[in-house]
Amino acid sequence: MKQPIECPFPRLFPSQLEKNENFYMQHAYNESISAWEKDEVPIGAVIVDATGEIIASAHNQTRKCKDPTAHAEMLAITMAAKRIGDWRLNECKLFVTKEPCPMCAGATIIGRIKEVYFAFEDPKMGAMGGATSLHELQKSNHKPLVHSGILRDECLQLTQAFFQIRRQTGISPKKE
């Protein structure tokens, strides 16, 4: 079995002095580096409660768990629900490095997450504005506010580099 390729991107060190959208996305970015280091697609997510506390953080683990639903958002949503003791995440905000796919976008809607922030759009599979907009379904009883572009370049470069390096070296993410 080949060793994962070392991530060439440094971790960020978010300042505790200003807990804003950039701060939380930096934490999600660091989760994406953790995914890379484990040879997972480098997507990271954090969920913040109404007080600004990070109550869940995760990265993709589909290969490790052999589970197609083990996306960063899904794992973070499950962790947040357990942490607060309720499936309704009404006052929570999700920060994720890539636009959620249909499965993850659906989970944010079903989980009633108040706001979703993602770094960059996914025109192929994004479900919050990229390929489709599940959060805008007319008959849906919950419509999270959606924001994009925070740390866009950094997150996009990291994700693209992951796949580019694998193509160049002939290494694809491990299949176990």
Side-chain angles (χ1 to χ4, degrees):
M1 180 163 79
K2 295 179 180 168
Q3 290 286 71
I5 296 171
E6 187 174 329
C7 181
F9 295 85
R11 290 186 184 276
L12 302 176
F13 297 96
S15 171
Q16 297 287 329
L17 299 175
E18 193 171 347
K19 292 186 177 181
N20 57 18
E21 289 82 10
N22 212 37
F23 172 85
Y24 299 116
M25 191 62 78
Q26 288 177 358
H27 280 280
Y29 177 88
N30 286 341
E31 281 290 333
S32 69
I33 290 175
S34 294
W36 180 315
E37 292 169 347
K38 296 172 184 167
D39 205 26
E40 297 279 357
V41 174
I43 307 300
V46 299
I47 295 181
V48 179
D49 69 10
T51 69
E53 180 184 353
I54 295 174
I55 60 170
S57 60
H59 55 269
N60 277 9
Q61 296 185 38
T62 56
R63 289 174 179 81
K64 175 188 173 198
C65 297
K66 296 175 180 52
D67 178 357
T69 69
H71 288 197
E73 302 95 306
M74 300 294 285
L75 297 170
I77 289 168
T78 299
M79 292 167 67
K82 285 182 182 176
R83 174 81 182 264
I84 67 169
D86 194 352
W87 63 271
R88 294 174 199 88
L89 302 172
N90 296 351
E91 298 303 317
C92 295
K93 298 177 183 180
L94 168 68
F95 291 83
V96 61
T97 57
K98 184 188 79 61
E99 180 181 1
C101 71
M103 173 182 67
C104 296
T108 66
I109 295 165
I110 299 300
R112 299 184 182 168
I113 290 178
K114 182 178 183 175
E115 294 183 61
V116 177
Y117 294 80
F118 61 86
F120 69 92
E121 303 79 12
D122 180 353
K124 292 181 181 178
M125 286 297 291
M128 295 193 128
T132 191
S133 300
L134 291 181
H135 65 291
E136 294 177 350
L137 291 173
Q138 286 185 337
K139 294 184 180 184
S140 176
N141 65 343
H142 179 71
K143 294 177 175 44
L145 298 174
V146 176
H147 314 275
S148 65
I150 299 167
L151 289 182
R152 181 188 189 285
D153 293 341
E154 295 88 337
C155 294
L156 180 61
Q157 289 170 7
L158 184 140
T159 304
Q160 288 176 334
F162 177 81
F163 293 107
Q164 183 179 32
I165 289 170
R166 277 152 179 73
R167 283 191 297 273
Q168 289 172 349
T169 60
I171 298 173
S172 60
K174 63 185 170 191
K175 296 175 185 171
E176 293 179 359

